[in-house]
Amino acid sequence: MNKTELRKLCKEKVNNIPPEEFTKWGEKTSDLILKTDDWINSETVFVYVSMKNEIDTSTLLKNALKIGKRLCVPKITGDGTMDAVEIKGLYELKSGKFGIPEPSESCSIIKNDEIDLILLPCLAADEQGNRLGKGGGFYDRFCEKIGCKKIILCPELLLMKSKMIPIEAHDVTADAVATETRIIKARKQA
């Protein structure tokens, strides 16, 4: 199965999941992430702002602000590109391109080498740390030159256990996959 077919299948599956499930999964996944050394030891974290059919990141965003982490979120800057932009509070998020909440224009862009941890959304992931995104390549382009830890947030229901997600040369692999039940250290393929 190629990425296009897999993406279509995953979107159908996701569209049949009630939004409150993503909220519940977000709370459970956040509980696991907040206990990791990666989260605890990171000063600057990059966390996606979740939409209705993604693992809810509101707990992670609020925790980062509460405990004084430097919190960056994505801001789309062009066709397939985005920056990490620091926010001081959730009040700085406004509806942006594609209806995704983004930081206001007054927020500062953060250099990529200042980020300690990146949390990535997905339509699906596998245990090797590969993710299937929505097809725009935003996160692959953003992550390709950043050497920090990367963790995919994926519902257990969309974690591919017996197969790998098809990968291409430009795809970025994560260090771990976090679900609502566990965190899987990625088994890098040879």
Side-chain angles (χ1 to χ4, degrees):
M1 184 176 304
N2 66 34
K3 277 188 175 184
T4 304
E5 296 165 335
L6 184 57
R7 197 170 278 120
K8 183 178 181 218
L9 183 70
C10 289
K11 282 180 181 178
E12 288 171 6
K13 193 180 271 192
V14 162
N15 288 336
N16 289 318
I17 299 170
E20 52 274 8
E21 284 297 309
F22 288 96
T23 302
K24 188 170 34 171
W25 292 334
E27 290 166 1
K28 290 179 178 182
T29 304
S30 295
D31 287 344
L32 294 173
I33 294 273
L34 294 175
K35 294 174 186 164
T36 65
D37 288 340
D38 292 328
W39 181 267
I40 293 165
N41 297 327
S42 293
E43 291 180 26
T44 302
V45 294
F46 177 94
V47 182
Y48 70 92
V49 181
S50 53
M51 298 193 312
K52 70 174 186 160
N53 290 340
E54 294 175 330
I55 285 200
D56 189 321
T57 57
S58 59
T59 299
L60 294 164
L61 296 167
K62 290 172 188 171
N63 177 272
L65 292 166
K66 180 180 174 185
I67 65 173
K69 289 191 182 294
R70 190 175 188 198
L71 175 60
C72 304
V73 297
K75 181 167 182 71
I76 295 173
T77 55
D79 196 21
T81 60
M82 63 185 187
D83 284 330
V85 177
E86 183 176 6
I87 61 170
K88 307 281 187 195
L90 298 181
Y91 62 88
E92 293 184 298
L93 297 174
K94 311 287 181 230
S95 184
K97 195 167 186 176
F98 307 119
I100 301 168
E102 291 188 341
S104 62
E105 294 299 322
S106 61
C107 297
S108 302
I109 296 172
I110 301 304
K111 293 179 184 170
N112 292 351
D113 63 357
E114 295 177 31
I115 301 169
D116 300 312
L117 175 65
I118 297 174
L119 301 182
L120 300 162
C122 71
L123 274 174
D126 64 28
E127 294 182 348
Q128 286 74 34
N130 299 306
R131 63 180 279 280
L132 180 69
K134 294 182 179 172
F138 287 89
Y139 285 93
D140 288 315
R141 276 188 281 287
F142 177 76
C143 290
E144 69 185 344
K145 295 181 181 145
I146 302 176
C148 70
K149 292 277 183 143
K150 297 166 194 74
I151 301 174
I152 302 166
L153 277 56
C154 180
E156 192 74 36
L157 179 70
L158 298 169
L159 181 66
M160 299 181 69
K161 296 165 185 85
S162 60
K163 295 185 213 168
M164 270 181 41
I165 289 186
I167 54 173
E168 297 167 9
H170 65 272
D171 291 332
V172 173
T173 303
D175 300 285
V177 180
T179 73
E180 67 276 16
T181 62
R182 60 195 172 132
I183 295 180
I184 304 145
K185 186 175 163 80
R187 294 190 307 260
K188 309 282 184 186
Q189 59 275 13

